[in-house]
Amino acid sequence: MINRHSVLTRMKCISMRRIASIMLIMGLSSFCAVANAATWVVTYPGSLYDGDERHKYPEALLQLALEKTGVRYRMVASQRVKYQSKAIRKLRENIEVNVVWSTTDRQREDDLLPIRIPIAKGLIGWRVMLTHKNKPFYSKAMISLSDLLVYAPVQGIDWPDTKILQANGFNVLGAQNRSEASSLLSRQQADFYPLSVIEALTELRQEGADPDIRLKEGIALQYRAAMYFFVNKRNVTLARLIEVGLERAIEDGSFDELFYEYHGDMLEQLALDKITYFELDNPLLPIKTPVSESKYWYTPGQFEGKKKATN
């Protein structure tokens, strides 16, 4: 005997699966149609000054990601929004800029929508130290983290790194911006200025830099940190476009190619695989940070291996 109830139940399940499949296809089609319907105007914070080297790589990577999606786009650097704190505020309000790159923390991920692919491969958490040549810190041998803790670093007040350093026991001097941080170092009011390896050498070489500011060689701080592209929480389609573009660039190798084009010389010069580095905890690291995805992160010696492979 045929159980009509069982037959009807199976037919209903099949129908529901078909409806779900149709809805998924329609959703993907709608996404593609929206993404390709018009020219995307992507506005990001302008550089603080002409020739700012720190902006070149994120701009180039954003362009690469958009190119990988195949959409029509136009990138615009905002001349009114330059400082990070203002850029994040404007992005949260969904005015003047629609993409910002910044180190992530829990608050920023609550306020904004992150694309969780570390654009600097974690190098933002590798911190070398600038100091004044006349400060005792410059010539002092650092054997352990406790040796460092007796000295006062300077960081921006609103930078996540400030809270990370404080959580690890440092007495941090706060600065309103990068210019003030450099001034505090030049006036010898701070002992050292920890900067990510992708920023430090540029800071030393920029026009007008204090010639008495030097790199403290042979040591670094290291903590897990990620710099992401962020968009407004409501701008889900743009977030998805950037994510898809970055993943495609990772898969075809163009992400790493661009990364080493901009950072290879610096990594070779700093030789992170040959220096002493002190590991810090990052209590601000959001739980969804993809720490287990090795393809997203730099490890010391990785550059040397790539260099040998390409020779």
Side-chain angles (χ1 to χ4, degrees):
M1 174 182 269
I2 297 174
N3 188 325
R4 287 187 62 199
H5 178 74
S6 298
V7 171
L8 288 172
T9 300
R10 285 197 296 272
M11 290 177 66
K12 187 179 292 184
C13 290
I14 292 170
S15 297
M16 291 299 293
R17 285 198 294 270
R18 285 177 178 172
I19 291 170
S21 298
I22 291 169
M23 289 180 67
L24 178 60
I25 292 169
M26 290 175 64
L28 290 173
S29 299
S30 298
F31 173 80
C32 293
V34 170
N36 291 283
T39 298
W40 284 83
V41 179
V42 179
T43 307
Y44 56 93
S47 57
L48 293 176
Y49 54 88
D50 290 340
D52 187 352
E53 296 290 331
R54 291 168 297 199
H55 261 239
K56 290 184 177 180
Y57 170 70
E59 289 176 13
L61 184 60
L62 181 58
Q63 181 177 2
L64 177 65
L66 292 170
E67 286 177 353
K68 293 296 178 181
T69 66
V71 300
R72 294 186 294 273
Y73 70 91
R74 181 163 59 91
M75 291 175 53
V76 179
S78 171
Q79 297 307 306
R80 298 182 58 186
V81 180
K82 297 185 177 183
Y83 286 106
Q84 185 177 92
S85 57
K86 183 177 182 180
I88 290 172
R89 185 174 71 253
K90 292 296 184 182
L91 187 63
R92 189 170 59 243
E93 296 168 357
N94 205 24
I95 55 175
E96 297 192 50
V97 294
N98 55 11
V99 175
V100 166
W101 53 85
S102 173
T103 303
T104 193
D105 62 19
R106 294 173 186 172
Q107 186 61 55
R108 286 182 185 170
E109 293 199 16
D110 285 342
D111 294 340
L112 305 169
L113 181 59
I115 293 94
R116 292 191 179 90
I117 298 174
I119 65 173
K121 295 176 74 71
L123 286 183
I124 198 71
W126 284 86
R127 298 266 155 170
V128 291
M129 289 155 266
L130 306 187
T131 187
H132 195 283
K133 69 175 186 178
N134 294 332
K135 295 291 286 186
F137 179 86
Y138 181 55
S139 56
K140 175 72 174 179
M142 303 291 169
I143 307 301
S144 66
L145 181 59
S146 60
D147 293 331
L148 275 174
L149 290 174
V150 300
Y151 296 97
V154 60
Q155 291 281 270
I157 290 173
D158 61 341
W159 300 351
D161 312 280
T162 298
K163 295 177 183 177
I164 295 169
L165 291 171
Q166 289 171 335
N168 283 272
F170 287 96
N171 181 25
V172 183
L173 298 178
Q176 293 295 329
N177 48 50
R178 291 181 180 276
S179 178
E180 185 179 355
S182 297
S183 294
L184 288 171
L185 197 63
S186 292
R187 296 199 301 267
Q188 301 184 53
Q189 292 176 264
D191 291 306
F192 65 102
Y193 182 12
L195 280 174
S196 74
V197 295
I198 60 178
E199 302 169 306
L201 298 183
T202 299
E203 183 79 13
L204 288 173
R205 295 167 182 166
Q206 70 178 338
E207 185 176 354
D210 185 345
D212 291 333
I213 301 303
R214 308 288 172 81
L215 176 69
K216 174 75 173 177
E217 296 185 354
I219 62 170
L221 298 172
Q222 194 276 325
Y223 46 88
R224 185 70 83 178
M227 178 184 285
Y228 293 150
F229 288 125
F230 287 88
V231 301
N232 182 272
K233 275 191 172 295
R234 296 192 295 274
N235 210 344
V236 177
T237 304
L238 180 57
R240 180 59 179 155
L241 280 173
I242 296 172
E243 180 183 18
V244 167
L246 290 174
E247 287 289 3
R248 288 177 179 174
I250 290 171
E251 289 173 9
D252 69 17
S254 55
F255 185 114
D256 273 0
E257 184 178 342
L258 186 71
F259 176 82
Y260 288 111
E261 176 186 337
Y262 279 87
H263 302 120
D265 290 344
M266 172 273 295
L267 290 171
E268 185 176 15
Q269 182 174 341
L270 293 177
L272 298 180
D273 58 324
K274 297 177 182 177
I275 67 173
T276 298
Y277 58 91
F278 306 105
E279 294 186 357
L280 305 183
D281 293 326
N282 181 359
L284 307 180
L285 195 67
I287 193 170
K288 292 185 178 180
T289 307
V291 294
S292 62
E293 291 284 350
S294 59
K295 65 181 180 180
Y296 291 151
W297 307 95
Y298 171 83
T299 54
Q302 183 181 357
F303 171 71
E304 291 75 10
K306 184 177 180 68
K307 186 175 182 181
K308 289 176 183 178
T310 56
N311 283 342

